[in-house]
Amino acid sequence: MTEEKVFKNYPHKHLLGIEGLLPDSINYLINLSKKYANYLEDNNQKLDDLKNKTCINLFFENSTRTRTSFELAGKKLGADMLNISVGTSSIKKGETLIDTAMTLNAMQPDLIVVRHNDAGAVKLLSEKVNCGVINAGDGPHEHPTQALLDSLTILRRKKTISGLKVAICGDIIHSRVARSNIHLLNTLGAEVRVIGPATLIPKEIESMGVKVFYKMKEGLKDVDVIIMLRLQLERMSGSFVPSIREYFRYYGLNNEKLNYAQPDALVLHPGPMNRGVEIDSELADDLDRSAIFEQVQMGVAVRMACLKALIKDK
Amino acid sequence: MNLKIPFDNSKLPINYLLKNGSIIDPDKNTIEKKDVLIEGKIIKALKKNISVDEKKFKIIDCNNFFISPGIVDMRVNIGEPGFEHKETIKSACKAAASGGVTSIVCMPNTYPAIDQPAIIQSIQRKAREVSLSKVFCTGCITRGAEGNEICELQLMREFGALGFTDGNKSVSNARVMKRALNYAKSFDGLIIQHAEEPELSRGGMVNEGEFATRMGLTGIPNYSEAMIIERDLWLVRDTKCRYHVSHISTKESVEIIRKAKKDGLPITCDTAPPYFMLNELSLENYRTFSKLSPPLRTEEDRNNIINGILDGTIDVIVSDHTPHDQDAKRLPFNQAEFGGVGLETLLPMTLNLVRNNKLSLIKAISLITKNPSEILGLKTGRISPDSEADLIVFDLEKPWKINSENFHSKSKNSPFDNILVQGKNLMTFVRGRLVYKS
């Protein structure tokens, strides 16, 4: 693989977030992902890159797509994947996060994939284990594999990221996807904007290198890529937004608002979608404009790359 | 001047020429004798010595009278829907027309409360049928004005809400208030606050102090107003949302707002005639018609409110029109409702400041026309060629005695009953139609 000569490897033990990663590390992961994506398109046979390796999926928060995606990625590479469901484990019995980490560590896995509803919890756990840890989402902090798969999808459609105008729309304040994407897209040279009502935009987010817009019409002007975020409906009672119909009217993406963007603008959504809340149903199904299902395919490839990059031969 | 109908709501367009009135133009800051030519809904011309075909125009001699933009009253409780026994849109509009108020901005504490676009539409439909003064709405900040969840502010704005307020209640939860300001900032909305700390005011009837003590009534401390304004200013500083404090009544409020304006915060405020005309002593003999919210304060507060008006700290004078039927007022003091009517006394009370407190006539008129119009983002409240003809003709000197029995409002609960005043509205034009003539 020619890319490997340029981007030698992934130099870190863990993948806890995009913040702080150098472009070389990111490009290495994306290029490896590309390789796997190409492989998956042509083959449905398992590889044996991670044969005899053990990987634990530890999800403290409900997840279908991310957990399945990691599980599938591991299996495609021939690794043994273990799923720990929090509902039936000793965590429900009151075990602390650190004790859980030390117990799992004693089982000597090669990698642990963790999702937790508290920001920083994955980092805390990573400090207590010997193997690598992948952050599959920690509260509203980071979700690095999602950002990587978004970039991979953009690259496949747009060929480059540098110089693109990318708008991230909606519930920014609660979104780890937004934060990871802001870091990644900025590192690769895109111009990043965030759009949403002021109640859903965290304070001083400009310092992360984005422009803030409160109106879709202004924010979407001339953008090449639109990343829609899920409105976390459970937040409605907290008065972040008054109602779904109002949210959809002013911040939901439909063909009319899409017209403010570049004619060939690409629409992404990390899922799960709320049709009729942040995205118009018809638009979500338009395969020319929206790459929502392509993102899911790329998710498996990106996770294969991350597993491969982090599980080092002992 | 041979018009017979006192409330002309006919749809027939009549063209008017108002001759030789002293035109008060708050935009140009001038008072000049000119003629006003009204054609259809529009002021066609505004200059000296206009001559027209007498068959096509009704010519009204306005010599000795002043002509100013119609009054924009940004705090009116209209009673409908929900309290039609106190006031209806029709009776409120009649009262407004006779008082020279060409635009009324109604508070959302109707029943049901104006907390969704459909209610705004229904009020506007009714107002179109009545077709006297213009009726604008504000919407609730929170659902049912209960202070918990913010309403569909942006949708309501699209349907015509000029600002958002929980009416006669403060939004007491600071987190909800912050979200509301933050949300409204996204679309440059205006948040209007009735400033009163609800827990400190609970059960309170009058201003806390010697008078309340002697009367044996529960007091409302005057800092309960200042406290909410100061709290909100922290939120305004953070969110940069436009913020308006309604009917301020205390010295402290004036001082806080004066300083906040100096600091460049996007804050405006208004007061109502009772707070610069009366003090707590008018509650003597347990006079429930002077039971208002906020309560009448001390003489020192009253003087400071006047100073606030004179130095521009206070931007607007509102009527704070709050109609109540007899049954709601003829009660033991503790049980009587808060509030008084004011649409028909707003003009003479404001002119009183010109006579007694050296406020210039132009400034006085600006306080009830141009200033509220600017804050609310309306086109009315001005007098200029090609704008809609919302005007009043008034006599600055005419002495008269306020007699609530003559009010057009359905309710007669005025704190100013039987007071002698000078200055009377003679004619009211709305969209070029003469809707009131005394």
Side-chain angles (χ1 to χ4, degrees), chain B residues 94-163:
Chain B
K94 280 186 176 180
S98 79
V101 177
T102 54
S103 295
I104 64 181
V105 179
C106 53
M107 290 290 105
N109 43 302
T110 47
Y111 187 82
I114 306 177
D115 64 356
Q116 48 177 311
I119 299 167
I120 296 178
Q121 279 184 309
S122 110
I123 289 172
Q124 285 172 342
R125 194 179 312 120
K126 197 73 193 277
R128 273 198 300 276
E129 283 166 21
V130 172
S131 200
L132 291 168
S133 293
K134 294 178 177 172
V135 176
F136 299 96
C137 290
T138 53
C140 284
I141 296 173
T142 64
R143 274 173 222 275
E146 283 170 359
N148 302 319
E149 288 171 44
I150 57 172
C151 295
E152 297 170 317
L153 305 184
Q154 211 165 341
L155 276 176
M156 286 198 285
R157 191 175 68 177
E158 203 168 290
F159 280 78
L162 301 178

Side-chain angles (χ1 to χ4, degrees), chain A residues 168-268:
Chain A
I168 307 175
C169 311
D171 190 353
I172 312 289
I173 198 167
H174 300 114
S175 176
R176 48 191 171 222
V177 177
R179 285 171 177 80
S180 287
N181 263 319
I182 290 169
H183 290 308
L184 204 160
L185 293 165
N186 269 327
T187 308
L188 296 189
E191 179 195 317
V192 188
R193 306 164 170 196
V194 296
I195 314 173
T199 42
L200 292 179
I201 295 189
K203 215 169 154 64
E204 295 186 17
I205 193 166
E206 294 89 343
S207 65
M208 288 174 72
V210 297
K211 279 188 201 157
V212 175
F213 293 87
Y214 300 123
K215 295 199 171 85
M216 291 287 264
K217 191 175 179 177
E218 294 161 11
L220 289 181
K221 194 170 184 295
D222 299 334
V223 300
D224 304 289
V225 180
I226 304 167
I227 302 177
M228 296 304 299
L229 300 175
R230 184 174 77 91
L231 180 68
Q232 311 205 2
L233 293 175
E234 57 275 20
R235 317 280 183 195
M236 298 288 287
S237 60
S239 267
F240 286 94
V241 281
S243 73
I244 289 170
R245 68 170 176 178
E246 175 151 325
Y247 186 79
F248 184 68
R249 185 176 183 93
Y250 298 102
Y251 297 101
L253 189 66
N254 55 15
N255 280 312
E256 185 203 331
K257 295 198 189 85
L258 190 56
N259 282 337
Y260 303 133
Q262 291 283 6
D264 61 345
L266 182 67
V267 178
L268 303 184

Side-chain angles (χ1 to χ4, degrees), chain A residues 270-288:
Chain A
M273 278 184 282
N274 295 311
R275 287 171 187 263
V277 179
E278 69 265 347
I279 190 160
D280 183 60
S281 199
E282 203 180 315
L283 181 58
D285 294 331
D286 181 350
L287 292 178
D288 290 334

Side-chain angles (χ1 to χ4, degrees), chain B residues 70-77 96 100-107 134 136 162 270-273 316-321 342-344 346 367-369 372-373 376 378 380:
Chain B
I71 299 172
V72 179
D73 185 351
M74 68 183 282
R75 191 176 178 89
V76 178
N77 293 289
V101 177
T102 54
S103 295
I104 64 181
V105 179
C106 53
M107 290 290 105
K134 294 178 177 172
F136 299 96
L162 301 178
D270 67 60
T271 192
V316 176
I317 298 174
V318 297
S319 73
D320 205 1
H321 184 79
L343 278 168
E344 290 164 84
L346 180 57
L367 284 160
I368 50 177
T369 57
S373 175
L376 297 165
L378 292 173
T380 184

Side-chain angles (χ1 to χ4, degrees), chain B residues 214-229:
Chain B
R214 286 182 188 281
M215 302 262 287
L217 295 169
T218 311
I220 299 171
N222 68 345
Y223 54 80
S224 103
E225 185 172 299
M227 211 166 187
I228 290 290
I229 301 174

